[in-house]
Amino acid sequence: ERVVFFLQRVSRGFIARCLYRRMRAIVPVLEAALKSRNTDTLKAALAKADAVGFELKLTKDARWMLHVFEEEERVEKLLRELLNDDPAEMFGTLAETLQVCEEI
């Protein structure tokens, strides 16, 4: 019985150390991806972070930033389309789009 407890303690410690190493290894990748402000780099870093087995706060921040970047791209595209049209006709849509910009 004591041997079982010992083996469990050793194996849990090993698993925890492996998880810690994986988490420490992904932190620089996520930090670099956040600094790059590039959606492709963020997606690649998040794909690597998913393999860690534990979601860090930095991973949540990266997911949020990816969402913000994608939303910015969508709104920017919509604004370009609206600015080419007659502003008087598209005022309501333009106002809604600008409200979304404020939320971002």
Side-chain angles (χ1 to χ4, degrees):
E1 185 175 307
R2 290 165 58 192
V3 174
V4 173
F5 291 142
F6 175 76
L7 290 175
Q8 285 179 348
R9 185 173 64 226
V10 169
S11 64
R12 287 181 182 145
F14 176 74
I15 292 169
R17 286 188 298 278
C18 289
L19 177 62
Y20 178 75
R21 277 190 225 116
R22 287 194 311 262
M23 289 187 317
R24 292 286 297 181
I26 200 65
V27 167
V29 175
L30 287 170
E31 287 176 343
L34 284 171
K35 288 180 184 176
S36 74
R37 297 185 57 87
N38 184 339
T39 57
D40 295 331
T41 309
L42 268 174
K43 287 179 183 177
L46 285 171
K48 289 180 183 178
D50 287 339
V52 169
F54 184 81
E55 188 169 12
L56 301 168
K57 181 186 181 310
L58 199 56
T59 307
K60 292 179 183 179
D61 293 344
R63 286 189 202 286
W64 174 251
M65 290 303 293
L66 180 63
H67 168 71
V68 168
F69 294 154
E70 289 173 344
E71 193 66 17
E72 281 178 358
E73 290 175 6
R74 183 187 71 80
V75 169
E76 188 175 314
K77 179 182 172 189
L78 186 59
L79 282 174
R80 280 196 196 113
E81 292 173 1
L82 288 174
L83 290 177
N84 292 335
D85 295 335
D86 183 27
E89 294 177 8
M90 297 296 186
F91 182 76
T93 309
L94 185 60
E96 290 173 12
T97 305
L98 290 175
Q99 180 63 32
V100 170
C101 290
E102 300 253 339
E103 292 173 5
I104 293 176

